[in-house]
Amino acid sequence: MKYVLALLLAGICFWAGRYSMNLTASVVPVNAASNCNEIESFRADFAEYQQLKTDAEKFKKADEILGKIMTIFLADLAMRVKSVPESKSAVEPVAVENKAIVHELAPPILTPSEVTASAESQQRIWLKNETLVAQATTEKELAEALKAVESKDLFSELKSGTPLKPEQVTAINGHYVGEITFFDRSSKLEVDWNAEYAMVRGKWRGTSSITLTRPGKQASSSSSKGDLGFTSVAQGQGILVKVEGGEGYLQLYPGIDGERLNGNYYKKKAIDKFTKTGTISLQRVR
């Protein structure tokens, strides 16, 4: 017991003196007088320990000495941890990287004039694509143009639709026949459409009759009389026509020659959701 305590005391004295002074010189000011007083106190305690006669007294004194050693050790350790300066080189790159990430993910903030310019640019692109539908001369050109004018939210288009312009009414007036071709290669729908409208006292009035037929079987028939029941795509020239009792919609564009109507066919999938499931091509017969 005596030899163990002597070695421990010698080690702690070395640590409290030379080791502490060397390592903390640039971080924590070391009080040399305090270190000497602590060493002398340990020596006095150890001398007292050596004078004790019974084991019980020696164990008690040894616990007291070890308690002092641990108290000083923990206090010094806390000072070292608290006084170490934070390395800027380890923090700044992370901060810069985080700023870059936030900047990349944050949407750009546009001024009112930029918002207007962006909307006008999008409308110009949309109108250009509608023109490509009217000018298409091959099936490939037509398919690509119709894809470009596909409505991603037809339900909103129907709510924000505008009345047809006179040239749009003129384009649909007449008798058209054609078919709807579905993307899933299911049977086609034959279409027969008659529309006759004229301006009466500032309003378009007339009749419309659309019949959809599967080979050998009539699929649906709808007719209207009176006010014009069609609307125009809000940002362009497309004509929205309800079929199958509202379960389907046609998005039609007149051909440049005035003899054709081409467009997309949408099927109702939910109360507020329509999905493009095919295309429609009509030819004027009257």
Side-chain angles (χ1 to χ4, degrees), residues 16-253:
R18 178 181 174 184
Y19 183 72
S20 179
M21 291 176 68
N22 287 341
L23 292 184
T24 61
S26 62
V27 180
V28 183
V30 178
N31 190 328
S34 177
N35 283 342
C36 292
N37 290 337
E38 291 170 356
I39 294 172
E40 291 301 322
S41 175
F42 283 130
R43 287 176 177 172
D45 286 336
F46 184 65
E48 182 182 344
Y49 169 83
Q50 289 180 311
Q51 300 299 321
L52 298 176
K53 302 299 183 181
T54 66
D55 289 340
E57 292 175 329
K58 289 182 178 181
F59 279 120
K60 183 177 180 181
K61 189 61 178 178
D63 286 341
E64 180 184 336
I65 295 171
L66 289 174
K68 289 182 180 181
I69 293 173
M70 291 304 300
T71 299
I72 295 174
F73 169 76
L74 294 175
D76 184 78
L77 180 62
M79 292 179 67
R80 291 173 188 275
V81 173
K82 183 178 180 181
S83 303
V84 174
E86 186 177 3
S87 174
K88 292 185 178 180
S89 62
V91 175
E92 289 180 351
V94 176
V96 172
E97 183 180 353
N98 286 343
K99 288 180 181 179
I101 293 175
V102 171
H103 178 73
E104 182 180 347
L105 295 180
I109 300 176
L110 302 178
T111 64
S113 60
E114 289 175 330
V115 171
T116 302
S118 176
E120 291 176 350
S121 175
Q122 292 177 2
Q123 185 172 18
R124 284 195 298 269
I125 294 173
W126 184 271
L127 292 174
K128 178 182 177 181
N129 290 329
E130 288 189 335
T131 301
L132 293 177
V133 175
Q135 295 176 344
T137 57
T138 66
E139 290 186 3
K140 182 179 180 181
E141 290 177 349
L142 181 59
E144 292 176 350
L146 288 176
K147 184 176 181 180
V149 296
E150 176 183 344
S151 174
K152 303 302 181 182
D153 186 1
L154 185 67
F155 185 75
S156 296
E157 291 276 6
L158 293 171
K159 291 194 296 183
S160 61
T162 59
L164 295 189
K165 304 177 182 66
E167 60 269 24
Q168 291 174 302
V169 179
T170 300
I172 63 173
N173 267 340
H175 182 197
Y176 287 90
V177 295
E179 61 185 18
I180 297 173
T181 303
F182 296 99
F183 297 138
D184 61 4
R185 304 298 181 184
S186 60
S187 59
K188 297 180 180 181
L189 280 177
E190 296 177 357
V191 182
D192 190 298
W193 184 20
N194 272 290
E196 295 293 339
Y197 286 93
M199 182 69 71
V200 179
R201 296 180 186 147
K203 291 185 178 181
W204 289 104
R205 300 184 64 82
T207 60
S208 173
S209 175
I210 302 176
T211 301
L212 304 182
T213 307
R214 289 190 174 88
K217 181 181 179 182
Q218 181 173 304
S220 70
S221 180
S222 58
S223 61
S224 61
K225 184 176 181 180
D227 293 341
L228 188 65
F230 314 126
T231 57
S232 177
V233 175
Q235 60 180 335
Q237 300 295 320
I239 303 167
L240 299 176
V241 181
K242 180 172 67 174
V243 294
E244 299 182 287
E247 293 299 309
Y249 266 89
L250 308 177
Q251 176 192 9
L252 298 172
Y253 294 94

